[in-house]
Amino acid sequence: MTFAVRMQWLLLDSLVFARRNLAHVRQIPEKLIDVTLQPLMFTLLFAYVFGNVIHVPGGNYREYVVAGILVQTLAFGVMGPGTSIATDLGEGIVDRFRSLPSSRAAYLFGHLLSELAATLIAIVVLVGAGLVVGWGVHAGVPSAIGGFALLVLFATTMIWVGTLIGVSVRSPDAVMGIAFLFVFPLTFLANAFVPAGGLPGGLQQIGEWNPLSAIVSGVRTLFGNPTATPNGAPWPLQHPVLGAVLWCLAILGVTVPLTIRRYRKRTTG
C-alpha cells in the first residue's frame, strides 16, 4: 500500500471517529456549555463589570479584553478532549476500536477534528458577543484572517495538550484538576485581562514571558486592538505574532510525539 493510499485511509477513518464524537454532542448538547454559555458569561462579566474601571493605554478595555477571553477559553479547552479520551480509555472503548480494520492513529486524529469543530463554535460565539459589547476588528482582511488562523493554531495546540493529559491520567476525574493546576494561573498571570505592565514585582516578568501573553498580544495585533505592551518588553511581546506562532509550534513539537507514544503504550497489549 502506497503512502498516499495510507494517508487517504487515515483521513477517512479519522472522519468516521470524528462523526462518532460529534454524535455524542448531538445527543448530549450540554457538552457545549463550556464553549458557548461559559465564554459568553465571561465576556459580559468582564466587559460590563471591569469595562469602566481598568484603564488600557491606547484604547478601551472592551476592545482589549475580548482577545484575552478568546485565548482563555481555548486554553481551558484542554479539559474537553482530556476528559473524553480518558473516559474512552477507562471504559475500554478504545480496546474495542482496535478490533476494527482502521488505523490506530485515526482515533486520535478523529478526536482532534471533533474537538476542533467545537472550538470553532466557541470562537464564533465569542466574536458575536464581542461585537455586542463594542469590540471590533480594526485591521485589513488579510490581517483579520491571520488573527483567526492564529486562534485555530492555538486551539489545535491546546487540544493536543488536553489529549496528552487524557492518555496520561488513570481517571477522567483527574483531568479537571490537572488542567486547572496549570491553565488557571497561566491565564491570569498573563496580559489576558490586565496589561502586563500593571502586574507587581516579579509577576510582571512572569507575565511578560508567559506564552499566553504572546498569543493574546498576537491576536490583538492582527485584529488591530490595543496591546498595551509595556516599555522594554521582552522579544515575544515586541514581536507577538511571530512569538505566538513559535510558542505554539514548540508546544506541538513536544506534545504531539509524547501523546502518540503514550497512546501507543496505553493501547498495546
Side-chain angles (χ1 to χ4, degrees):
M1 185 181 295
T2 65
F3 176 78
V5 173
R6 289 200 301 270
M7 290 298 100
Q8 181 181 1
W9 279 110
L10 174 60
L11 176 60
L12 293 174
D13 292 340
S14 299
L15 291 174
V16 171
F17 283 112
R19 186 170 62 179
R20 172 249 178 189
N21 291 339
L22 291 174
H24 286 178
V25 175
R26 186 176 67 251
Q27 295 167 2
I28 311 175
E30 300 94 301
K31 288 186 174 183
L32 291 178
I33 288 179
D34 61 334
V35 295
T36 54
L37 296 182
Q38 182 175 307
L40 179 61
M41 179 185 67
F42 266 92
T43 303
L44 297 176
L45 178 67
F46 278 90
Y48 289 108
V49 174
F50 301 113
N52 296 322
V53 178
I54 300 178
H55 173 69
V56 176
N60 68 71
Y61 184 71
R62 293 180 183 179
E63 293 211 325
Y64 177 84
V65 77
V66 169
I69 297 174
L70 275 165
V71 172
Q72 184 209 43
T73 301
L74 300 182
F76 275 102
V78 300
M79 288 189 286
T83 302
S84 176
I85 201 168
T87 300
D88 284 349
L89 287 168
E91 294 179 351
I93 295 176
V94 177
D95 291 332
R96 300 176 192 174
F97 290 153
R98 290 174 55 202
S99 64
L100 300 176
S102 64
S103 169
R104 182 182 296 183
Y107 172 79
L108 284 179
F109 287 106
H111 185 75
L112 171 68
L113 291 174
S114 61
E115 293 294 339
L116 193 56
T119 297
L120 293 177
I121 295 175
I123 293 175
V124 171
V125 170
L126 277 171
V127 166
L131 293 173
V132 169
V133 301
W135 171 83
V137 176
H138 306 290
V141 173
S143 182
I145 293 174
F148 287 112
L150 179 57
L151 288 173
V152 172
L153 174 62
F154 177 63
T156 303
T157 303
M158 298 313 295
I159 291 171
W160 276 107
V161 173
T163 304
L164 176 59
I165 296 173
V167 298
S168 301
V169 299
R170 292 180 293 178
S171 166
D173 297 332
V175 174
M176 182 173 293
I178 294 175
F180 265 93
L181 187 63
F182 75 90
V183 174
F184 192 83
L186 275 178
T187 54
F188 283 94
L189 288 178
N191 61 0
F193 303 112
V194 295
L199 295 174
L203 293 181
Q204 179 176 343
Q205 285 70 41
I206 294 175
E208 290 175 343
W209 284 100
N210 187 334
L212 295 190
S213 291
I215 295 166
V216 173
S217 291
V219 173
R220 287 174 178 146
T221 298
L222 290 169
F223 285 158
N225 299 140
T227 60
T229 302
N231 294 327
W235 188 89
L237 292 187
Q238 294 290 347
H239 307 84
V241 177
L242 180 57
V245 172
L246 291 177
W247 271 119
C248 289
L249 294 179
I251 296 171
L252 285 172
V254 173
T255 56
V256 172
L258 285 178
T259 301
I260 294 175
R261 186 182 308 169
R262 183 60 183 168
Y263 175 71
R264 286 175 176 171
K265 185 176 181 180
R266 288 285 301 269
T267 58
T268 300

